[in-house]
Amino acid sequence: MSVPDYMQCAEDHQTVLVVVQPVGIVPEDQFFKIYKRISSVSQVSIRDSQRLLYIRYRHHYLPENNEWGDFQTHRKVVGLISITTCGSAKEWPQTSERFHGQKEVYSSTLYDSRLLVFGLNGEISEQQRTDVAFYPNFEDCTDVEKRVEDFVESIFIVLESKRLDRATDKSGDKIPLLCVPFEKKDFVGHYKKRCQGRMRKHVGDLCLQANMLQDALVHYHMAVELLRGVNDFLWLGAALEGLCSASVIFHYPGGTAGKTLGRKPSVSQPADAGKRHRPGAQEVLIDPGALTANGISADTSTEIGRAKNCLSPEDIIEKYKEAISYYGKYKNAGVIELEACVKAVRVLAIQKRAREASEFLQNAVYINLGQLSEEEKIQRYSILSELYELIGFHRKSAFFKRVAAMQCVAPTIPEPGWRACYKLLLETLPGYSLSLDPKDFSKGTHRGWAAVQMRLLHELVYASRRMGNPGLSVRHLSFLLQTMLDFLSDQEKKEVTQSLENYTSKCPGGMEVITLPDGLKLPPVPFTKLPIVRSVKLLNLPVSLRPHKVKGLLGQNMSTASPFIYSPIIMHNRGEERCKKIDFQWVQGDVCEVQLMVYNPMPYELRVENMGLLTSGVEFESLPAALSLPAESGLYPVTLVGVPRTAGNITVNGYHTAVFGVTSDCLLEGLSGVKTSGCLVEVIPSLPRLQLSTSLPRSGNTSIPILLSSTVSVQLFNGETQQLTITLENIGSEDIETLELTSKIVTTKEKVFGEFLSWDLDEALSHLPLKPGHAVTLTINIKVKLDFSGQESLLQDLNDDGISVTGLPISSPLRQVLKPRAENKSVNSESGKAEYSHIKTLEAVLNFKYSGGAGKVEGYYRELSLGVHVDIEPSVFFTRVSTLPATSTRQCHLLLDIFNPTEHELTVSAKNNQDLVLHASECQRMAIQVDKFDFESLPQPDQETARFTNPKQLEEERQHAQGCQINSKLGICWSIISFQILHIW
């Protein structure tokens, strides 16, 4: 016997073997359909008896194995069921002849046989025969199971007669010597006891098959004693194995073959059959008086009654070890030894004694069965793998499964089975803590041995390629690179990526699920580590494009919030944080940005193509980018952009990339260690876009603490007026329907007289609504009037009782003391110039508020801010002011000492007076005849107002009113001749 039956288990010793085979040409699917129905009759309750007969079916059985039927009767083919098709009566003789030829193969052991004929009609089919059943077709055969039961009962009758014949042999005839095929029959010494022991063991087998468990146990015990005495080790091992099988059937009525091959508990088992025997139970001590002269006792009731013949669970294993050691003495009994190891392992698996079971399996590995074919080697390693899996040795199971896979493509095989190899390799994955889902490797520490896992993945890649499936190769290689990146050396990273690029040049990798022929699905493998993303941040729009809500409408869209600051019931997790709504808005149709901080873990430059955003919620047009990250770059900022095409709430779910020819969709929820402040943002309806250009040069020199769209800068003399022309162009896709302009001076330390910025907006508003691509212009008047008189070091001649009116120090009429004329002074020294070179700064913000389109309907607008930075130089100083009486009592002469601090020649003029020319840094006196001022006629605040107003404020208002009256009567203005500009005070 050269081919072991790896599916054997201990309870198979209780079964009778029936072979089911086709005769002639029978469709394979129809044959196995009938075979399945026949094999469903696995146990039959015998009529007029409380016993069950168990049947084991095989559709293929080597005749050489049948030769071991005397050694162990469950190996003997006792029944034959042949299935054939016969289309006409002419074919019947040939069919019948074939059936008889098939019976001849097993004639030495056969108890009974049946022939099932399909397709024959007519006189022949109407014959009543016990050994032949006729059916018109494969569908109309309802009584197949009933015929099989009748067939099994006929087998039982023969079995029972043989058992009784062997057990009650009192003829005094010589007991035949039972032998195995390789034994010689010329034994020397103890011949009679050898015959007795072997026959006793044979009767035990028959009793076990006939479901007489206690009788079988007694016979096995007697056989052990007899065979041990004559050192008949091969048959002693068989007797011990029979004793173990009977004890296993007693202790484990459900069987040891597992869930798929397990047997139904026998209804004829003793009431205590399911209970474990007490550990102290030993072999029965056989009474020699119970044996007849021939060594076979006719009545075994005395032994059954006075001895507990069943082995304990622990003793079962010990006897198995002993039996296997005896089998090991015979080279030709390798198959018997191997099958005994397998049976012992199945028993130990039920007893949960994995370590002892592994010892039996280790012994089975080294059993030499001679020259095995490649197919037999594959079967052997596969069964070893299944048995190791059965006892929980998952990695050992995976090892033998992988050996079986490699055997499928051994060099000696003419046509290597790469598909079988690939299938077996896939089955090894769980044993090495591998799965085909990259999500299993995204969290926690790495499980398993990375070096072994990488080797296995490489073998999957190679097997996929040899199968002619490059898509599978790409998927497994992508999985290797993604999950084992931390364990790859720099050289291995380079080799793997080069291989991947070679594969993807023929078959690009994607995010589709690959379904294998057996239904197994390979999930996609996104490259979340190429590059590694550390943070994701949604960016607000630029200042000039940010939408603002009309204040009166803010409450409409506000969600109801809890009045509590913090609730301990709320569970904060990363998912909620990622879905948290951000407190700014994006605008439909505008380019929006998301900033990623990425890291390249590869030892060489990483090229990422087609990198864009993955979103949900609104229609979004992603604008992909390509980037090149230097080797081991550290954190590197990458900005991904896109345009929302509809309004609503948008969620940034992740990003997509194309690396090494593999397209990946990387979702943020699957990324560990990614920092984000939220990925949900509201997209409001579209708004117009306004672009601003000015006639003055732009400048970044500003201290305005406000985010501005742009800034213009200009340098003026005090009292000078400058025009700023602003062009507003609609560069968006919506009409500008509303436009507002406001200004705010942000310089607080300087007091400004008059209007700093002034404009007329009516002309611009007349062009609304402003269509896309159209523009309007607006003129802004910049007029600066500051008070430079606060510098006492410059105004040395100012009297104690003088007043300051818009930068003009005026002396009291009573004071007429004159100092030396300023024009006689030389004020050309560098220090003098430095004193008068002080420059003041004035800054303001022009704020354009505009709206239109669908965003205006929802109450949104945009703001465009222009900063105005003005550097102001002093123009004319009145260093001394005094008055003299005129010829008329209603008039007086106003004497002004005027100093020109600039580097230009300027003229000063007043009403009804000649122009005064002042050179750079020159001081002259100017006399102006004016009517006396009547400050009493100025409007006075009423008593109620004066009562509740600050006195200092009242004084400032009074001085301002007086200054305005003086300025209107004097009409003093100056101009720089070289600039040809006129400035009025």
Side-chain angles (χ1 to χ4, degrees), residues 407-451:
Q407 203 67 47
C408 292
V409 292
T412 55
I413 298 180
E415 296 182 2
W418 287 105
R419 292 188 181 279
C421 172
Y422 178 79
K423 185 176 183 299
L424 288 172
L425 285 175
L426 284 180
E427 295 174 5
T428 66
L429 296 180
Y432 290 117
S433 302
L434 265 177
S435 76
L436 297 174
D437 193 347
K439 293 180 181 177
D440 297 336
F441 292 82
S442 61
K443 297 177 181 178
T445 56
H446 187 89
R447 293 181 62 238
W449 294 345

Side-chain angles (χ1 to χ4, degrees), residues 670-692:
L671 301 180
S672 58
V674 176
K675 296 180 180 179
T676 176
S677 56
C679 293
L680 177 64
V681 67
E682 181 184 3
V683 178
I684 67 163
S686 56
L687 287 169
R689 292 181 61 183
L690 197 60
Q691 187 180 53
L692 181 148

Side-chain angles (χ1 to χ4, degrees), residues 300-311:
T300 58
S301 60
T302 54
E303 289 91 345
I304 295 172
R306 66 186 177 87
K308 292 186 178 294
N309 303 298
C310 185
L311 299 177

